Amino acid sequence: KDAAAGGEARLEYRESDYRILKPGAYVTCAVSGRRIPLDALVYWSAARQEPYAGPAEVAQRLDGERAARREA
């Protein structure tokens, strides 16, 4: 492996898959900041172009958006 393959990847998130724009070993969860190995990446939002470490982070993001809409 070269050095770039061990760093952070940049992806284009699609509805049912993603496209690698910059090779790497992981992406960073948009909610928790945790590193997610690409082979473990299951949760993301194509609309927000964000990866999530798991279902709890997805729920946290959605709860935050609902609260923001209620306050508006």
Side-chain angles (χ1 to χ4, degrees), residues 14-57:
R14 301 173 179 176
E15 290 300 322
S16 60
D17 65 358
Y18 55 81
R19 185 169 70 102
I20 297 174
L21 302 175
K22 178 183 162 243
Y26 67 90
V27 292
T28 302
C29 176
V31 175
S32 69
R34 290 187 359 224
R35 289 183 177 184
I36 310 162
L38 290 187
D39 61 358
L41 179 61
V42 178
Y43 299 95
W44 64 81
S45 168
R48 294 176 198 84
Q49 290 296 295
E50 295 180 334
Y52 307 110
E57 289 79 5

